[in-house]
Amino acid sequence: MTVAAQTTALQLVAAPIVNPAGDPPSARTDYVATYSRWAGGVFVAGGTALSDHSTLHDVWFQPIGGAWTDVTPHGGVADLGTIRAMTYSYDDQKLWLIDEIPITIKKIHLTQGRLLRASAGGGLEVLASWISLGFADREYLSVDHDGAVLATFALKNHGFATARVTVDTKTNTARVMSLYVNAFDKLHGAPFVSPVGYGFFVQHGTKDEVLRVRTLPTLSAIRNFDESLCQ
């Protein structure tokens, strides 16, 4: 098993999590979870409270065989909004999250999506942000072989894109290194990394199948291809 395979994303889980013997986290549904062998346990974040149906903005960690601990990021430049996806990178030993927050621009109410990074219990860093226009049905975060993060956006009907993301240490912002775009298939879950490339569980036409891709195109390769078409 590769190191990348040691982090598994379980996004937007519908089954409720009920706290044993009154221990945290609080009972909830529609939460996001990720298991990391590197971190030695499971992270659970956000969701909807079963008690009053409110949106939760917390993050919890449970080491295998251990007790739950509240590791919600505090401080930094932002607070958590509605959590959409999460993973843990062994490269920087930090949580990566995608959330959504309401914003207002010139009296227009919009939703902003953000790519965040945080140490467990530490402050949040905003690596990238965008205006959510409602096209994306689901977001996923997973980990590549070398600890880089794969951010995947699946559209409502069909089509998805996966970006391989690292952090620019000078600007502390996200840098897209590779990008794979599929305009035809409907994605059913987070992509997975294997020793021979990447796998996507998709609906192709009327059939479900695993789409395998050996490499993700780099931005320089995409740019060179576009330039060759214009010549």
Side-chain angles (χ1 to χ4, degrees):
M1 178 181 290
T2 65
V3 176
Q6 297 181 17
T7 298
T8 303
L10 309 171
Q11 310 291 348
L12 293 177
V13 182
I17 180 170
V18 181
N19 46 320
D23 294 332
S26 60
R28 65 191 65 197
T29 188
D30 296 327
Y31 55 91
V32 175
T34 195
Y35 166 70
S36 173
R37 288 187 62 185
W38 187 270
V42 176
F43 293 92
V44 169
T48 302
L50 290 183
S51 58
D52 59 7
H53 306 291
S54 62
T55 299
L56 300 169
H57 308 279
D58 52 355
V59 181
W60 295 83
F61 175 71
Q62 183 185 41
I64 300 302
W68 287 100
T69 302
D70 186 346
V71 294
T72 304
H74 293 289
V77 298
D79 293 321
L80 280 173
T82 300
I83 302 168
R84 300 282 300 170
M86 175 178 61
T87 194
Y88 180 88
S89 173
Y90 70 87
D91 181 50
D92 56 18
Q93 299 181 31
K94 291 186 177 182
L95 284 170
W96 289 60
L97 307 103
I98 291 177
D99 77 347
E100 290 184 341
I101 59 171
I103 62 171
T104 301
I105 300 177
K106 295 183 178 180
K107 298 183 180 181
I108 300 176
H109 301 294
L110 301 169
T111 300
Q112 184 182 62
R114 303 184 301 178
L115 177 63
L116 309 169
R117 186 175 69 163
S119 301
L124 279 173
E125 305 169 279
V126 180
L127 302 178
S129 63
W130 56 91
I131 300 299
S132 298
L133 299 177
F135 299 125
D137 180 52
R138 190 68 60 85
E139 299 89 356
Y140 302 97
L141 290 174
S142 47
V143 180
D144 207 343
H145 293 288
D146 59 355
V149 170
L150 302 176
T152 300
F153 299 85
L155 302 185
K156 290 183 177 180
N157 296 319
H158 55 78
F160 62 92
T162 294
R164 187 175 183 275
V165 181
T166 59
V167 176
D168 187 323
T169 56
K170 294 182 179 179
T171 61
N172 203 41
T173 56
R175 173 188 293 176
V176 176
M177 306 301 293
S178 305
L179 180 65
Y180 173 74
V181 177
N182 181 309
F184 306 103
D185 300 322
K186 182 175 179 61
L187 185 67
H188 285 316
F192 58 88
V193 181
S194 74
V196 295
Y198 306 88
F200 302 89
F201 183 43
V202 301
Q203 178 182 327
H204 181 75
T206 59
K207 296 182 179 180
D208 291 336
E209 60 184 53
V210 176
L211 174 66
R212 299 189 180 275
V213 179
R214 292 190 62 86
T215 59
L216 301 181
T218 63
L219 292 190
S220 59
I222 296 173
R223 188 179 302 111
N224 291 338
F225 178 75
D226 290 341
E227 290 175 352
S228 67
L229 292 179
C230 296
Q231 293 177 356

